[in-house]
Amino acid sequence: MLLKFPAETVPIQEIPTDYNIKLFIKREDLIHPQISGNKYWKLFYNVNNYLENHPESPYLITFGGAYSNHIAAVSAVGNLAGIPTLGLIRGEELANKWRDNPTLLFAKRNGMNLKFVSREEYRHKEKLTEFLQNEFPHALIIPEGGTNKEAVAGVKMMLNDQTKDFDYLCTAVGTGGTVSGIAEFCEENQKVIGFKVVDDASLENKILELTSMRNLNLIDSCFGGYGKIKDETIRFINDFKEKYGIPLEPVYTGKMMQKVFELIHEGYFPENSRVLCFHTGGLQGIEGANLLLEKQNRNLII
Ligand SMILES: Cc1ncc(COP(=O)(O)O)c(C=O)c1O
C-alpha cells in the first residue's frame, strides 16, 4: 500500500467569529507535505488498487491545467513510488514556458513527463483517454482532478467520529469528487454545502452520477471566475492567515472561506449552528498565483 492511513487524524481548529456560530476547519492540508488535502484521499484507492494489481511496469497518466494541484500530487505519487508518470497539460503555449511555472517545475522535478495539448484537444479528454489507454494498456489513466468513483470512496476517510458532531460540512468544488464523497458518507442529519469555484453548468449532473446528493446544496463562489483572483480575496486570505495562522490558497479554499464568512454575515446559518469547513490543501498553488499577481503589480498572498 503506497498511500497509508495516517497514524493520527489531522486537527480540527476553531475559527472564532463575532456571530453565534461555531466555525471550525479540518486541516486536511496537513495530511502529507506533497500529496495534500483532498488529493491524498481522491488518489488513495485509485493508486493503491492499481499498484496492487499491476506490480510490473505501472504507469500513471493524468490531466490538468498549468497550476493544477492534482498534477502536482500525481507527480509526487510517481516520485514516491518510483513509477513513471505522464501529465497532459492544457495549453500548447506552455511547452516553452514550463520552467517559469512552479507547479510544472515541481512535476518535472518529480520525474513527470509533460505533454502540452491544445485547449481544443484537452476539451475532448475522453478521446485522448481512449487513445492513451490503447497505446498504454497497463497504464492507470486518472481523470482530471482525480474525480471518479474510487475518489468518492476515498473521500469517506475525511469523515470520522469528530466530523459527525457538525450541522454543516463545507468544501470547495472543482470537479465534484470531494463534495460527492462528503455528501455520500456523512450522517443523514448533516447538511453539505459545496462552494462552486468553477462556473460549470454540467457540474450538478456530474455530481449526481457520483452521489444521491440528498442533503447537498451548491453555492456559487466563483468571485469573478475559475482561477481569477480579486483583490478582496487576497485581502481575505492575508487577514485569515494573520488572525488564525492558517494559510489558504486563492483558487479553492480561499474562496470557500470567504463565502462562508459572507454567509455567516448574511444569517444563512441558524444561531448556534456548528459549521465544519474542510481545508483541501492546494497551497502549492500560492507561488504560481503570486508570480501572476507580481506581473500585474498587485498585492501578493503572504
Ligand atoms: C485545493 C483544492 N480544493 C478543492 C478542490 C475541489 O475538489 P473536487 O475537484 O473534488 O471538486 C480541488 C480540486 O481538486 C483542490 O485542488
Side-chain angles (χ1 to χ4, degrees):
M1 200 190 253
L2 177 75
L3 300 178
K4 302 193 170 61
F5 292 99
E8 283 176 33
T9 71
V10 294
I12 292 180
Q13 289 174 245
E14 183 161 11
I15 309 290
T17 70
D18 297 334
Y19 296 81
N20 209 355
I21 300 289
K22 288 284 189 188
L23 179 64
F24 293 80
I25 188 162
K26 183 163 187 268
R27 300 290 307 276
E28 257 2 290
D29 57 310
L30 299 176
I31 201 114
H32 190 280
Q34 294 179 329
I35 312 162
S36 98
N38 59 342
K39 256 60 65 198
Y40 193 90
W41 299 119
K42 291 207 286 183
L43 291 171
F44 191 89
Y45 287 121
N46 275 299
V47 170
N48 285 342
N49 293 350
Y50 171 72
L51 291 182
E52 239 168 65
N53 296 322
H54 291 78
E56 311 267 320
S57 61
Y59 189 24
L60 301 179
I61 302 179
T62 197
F63 303 86
Y67 299 97
S68 165
N69 296 318
H70 172 69
I71 286 287
V74 172
S75 74
V77 166
N79 190 33
L80 267 181
I83 55 180
T85 52
L86 170 64
L88 281 288
I89 309 297
R90 182 179 53 226
E92 283 165 312
E93 72 283 0
L94 293 162
N96 306 318
K97 295 193 284 190
W98 61 264
R99 283 180 190 78
D100 304 332
N101 176 309
T103 302
L104 299 179
L105 198 58
F106 174 78
K108 266 277 196 200
R109 286 189 174 139
N110 279 331
M112 183 176 255
N113 187 12
L114 302 179
K115 183 169 164 34
F116 299 91
V117 298
S118 69
R119 277 150 219 280
E120 180 57 21
E121 259 185 296
Y122 193 90
R123 215 165 291 136
H124 302 289
K125 285 183 285 298
E126 294 74 23
K127 257 194 192 161
L128 265 178
T129 302
E130 215 180 293
F131 170 81
L132 288 164
Q133 199 73 81
N134 281 333
E135 195 85 343
F136 306 105
H138 296 296
L140 173 65
I141 304 187
I142 309 170
E144 183 180 46
T147 284
N148 56 16
K149 291 238 152 79
E150 286 73 22
V152 171
V155 168
K156 182 178 184 185
M157 289 175 285
M158 287 168 51
L159 303 172
N160 58 24
D161 279 348
Q162 282 174 296
T163 65
K164 287 182 184 162
D165 198 25
F166 292 89
D167 305 307
Y168 291 87
L169 301 175
C170 304
T171 190
V173 178
T175 55
T178 309
V179 80
S180 298
I182 294 172
E184 190 64 19
F185 297 112
C186 70
E187 300 299 297
E188 257 181 43
N189 62 325
Q190 292 184 301
K191 297 180 189 68
V192 179
I193 309 179
F195 293 80
K196 268 201 322 182
V197 299
V198 47
D199 187 15
D200 174 1
S202 68
L203 202 47
E204 297 195 11
N205 279 340
K206 282 186 203 154
I207 292 172
L208 264 178
E209 282 173 21
L210 296 167
T211 174
S212 53
M213 229 182 161
R214 54 198 155 83
N215 43 6
L216 170 59
N217 188 12
L218 293 178
I219 293 184
D220 174 25
S221 314
C222 287
F223 292 100
Y226 178 70
K228 301 271 186 312
I229 310 172
K230 293 201 164 180
D231 288 342
E232 62 185 83
T233 301
I234 300 173
R235 263 196 305 276
F236 176 85
I237 289 173
N238 287 346
D239 278 358
F240 194 87
K241 186 164 177 198
E242 219 163 79
K243 273 193 194 145
Y244 311 117
I246 300 173
L248 302 170
E249 49 67 51
V251 180
Y252 296 95
T253 53
K255 288 184 177 179
M256 168 188 67
M257 286 313 303
Q258 190 180 354
K259 194 72 187 177
V260 166
F261 271 78
E262 277 185 22
L263 293 181
I264 291 176
H265 186 68
E266 287 162 13
Y268 176 94
F269 300 106
E271 293 237 324
N272 300 317
S273 292
R274 289 176 60 80
V275 180
L276 179 65
C277 302
F278 288 92
H279 192 316
T280 43
L283 298 172
Q284 66 86 31
I286 293 176
E287 199 183 338
N290 273 342
L291 285 176
L292 290 177
L293 292 170
E294 203 172 3
K295 274 193 195 142
Q296 297 164 1
N297 269 328
R298 297 176 53 204
N299 284 339
L300 303 187
I301 296 159
I302 51 172

